[in-house]
Amino acid sequence: MSDSNIILESWSPVCDIQAFVEESEKCYYFYLWIHPGSEKAYIKSCWICNAAAAPEKIDTEAMKEGLAPAMPKQYISHADGGIRLNPEDLSIVWFEEGDAAALFERERLLCVIPGWSGYKDFNGYSRYAVGMAPYAWELTDAEEVLLKRAEKSREFWDYFEGEYWEDIQQAHIQALEAFFGNYEKYFAIDGETFPPKALVTGEKEGICYGITAGVSLIPMPQVEQYYNEEASDFRRIEIGFAASAAQQDICMKMYSFISAISALPWNEISFLGHGHTIPCDGIEGFSAVWLLNSRLIPEIAAPDYVDFMGDKINQLWVVPLKQEEYETVRELGVDEVLKRMGEDVKRIYIFDGQGKFGRL
């Protein structure tokens, strides 16, 4: 056997991540290679099992040579002499967000690298690890929850094998037309790649709207680390821009901007949420945009979406900020700025060519 051999690999359906299982003379590892081949590439790794006799202590020499270390004897639950995995029995299931994956041996959960791996020396979970081992944590206590999640994820990806887009498309158009009347234009913004998504425009009472449709199909990565049990309330979004009809030229520029950032969560393995700011020089005199979640600001209007797969859909309005406003937001935070605006907050999401609050 060569020093190491990749026996299974898979690509995330939505993120720039390659998952693979590596076999060596000493052990097996499960890896997630994020942004492979790029300057921002990094790897998450999780020990699966040993393939040979377990060492008594951590093999620091192997690590110095860049080799995957076997798990010390005290941290393994399988036979001391190691075990062998049959590549034909292995399969990888991607979690719904596309940034985490589970490894199965037939129907048995073997190893998981969740989205929160990499924090505080946590690599992932392995069936054969004991306790909080150096290269993997014991799977036992988390197995029930992770198995349900993996099975749900399998069903989630199977859903996209069917004829789903027409129904999703119509549901979004109905929600948008209930908000601003008959839509005017429909732009496909997915570049003919999965997942499908569009930007739909309309006008009502002198206000022009451009709102995405379909971005919420895939839940965003990393939301769970911030919202914990409430993650399902915030991990799906649609993005919109509203402006007075006099700002038509600006609208088209911002629709292009929205289309571009609609893929940002999965491209950057991150998420977009309430209060986030993004640099934007598309409007003269403005230096950034502010994302505001209409669900968290009852005073502002937004489409009323039906929940998707049990999750709420959040409307994020893109609000252009002048430099002084951007500095105010950074200084005071979203809640304090909105509080100080008082009644003016009702129209904060509608761009009229002017700043909204300056220095408060």
Side-chain angles (χ1 to χ4, degrees), residues 25-27 50-57 59 70-73 76 78-84:
E25 294 180 359
K26 294 182 177 181
C27 52
N50 284 350
E56 293 294 333
K57 58 183 181 179
D59 189 352
M71 185 72 82
K73 184 176 181 178
I76 63 174
H78 61 59
D80 289 348
I83 58 177
R84 293 289 177 184

Side-chain angles (χ1 to χ4, degrees), residues 79-97:
D80 289 348
I83 58 177
R84 293 289 177 184
L85 302 178
N86 183 350
E88 294 183 0
D89 293 337
L90 304 179
S91 62
I92 293 170
V93 175
W94 289 94
F95 282 8
E96 294 174 65
E97 298 87 347

Side-chain angles (χ1 to χ4, degrees), residues 176-253:
L176 295 178
E177 291 194 326
F179 177 63
F180 55 51
N182 294 337
Y183 79 88
E184 296 180 346
K185 293 183 179 180
Y186 177 101
F187 301 98
I189 60 172
D190 50 43
E192 298 184 349
T193 61
F194 179 83
K197 56 187 175 181
L199 187 137
V200 183
T201 70
E203 183 177 341
K204 180 180 180 181
E205 297 176 355
I207 305 299
C208 297
Y209 297 92
I211 301 174
T212 60
V215 176
S216 57
L217 279 175
I218 311 297
M220 296 181 293
Q222 304 296 305
V223 174
E224 190 171 15
Q225 283 84 297
Y226 291 86
Y227 288 98
N228 301 311
E229 289 78 12
E230 295 182 320
S232 63
D233 287 346
F234 295 98
R235 64 182 191 158
R236 298 184 191 272
I237 61 166
E238 298 296 342
I239 309 171
F241 180 71
S244 61
Q247 304 293 325
Q248 282 284 0
D249 292 343
I250 296 300
C251 285
M252 294 309 297
K253 290 181 180 179

Side-chain angles (χ1 to χ4, degrees), residues 3-4 21 46 56 71 102 104 159-160 214 226 241 292 298 304 360:
D3 288 342
S4 64
V21 176
C46 187
E56 293 294 333
M71 185 72 82
F104 280 81
Y159 169 79
F160 295 109
Y226 291 86
F241 180 71
L292 296 181
D304 184 15
L360 294 174

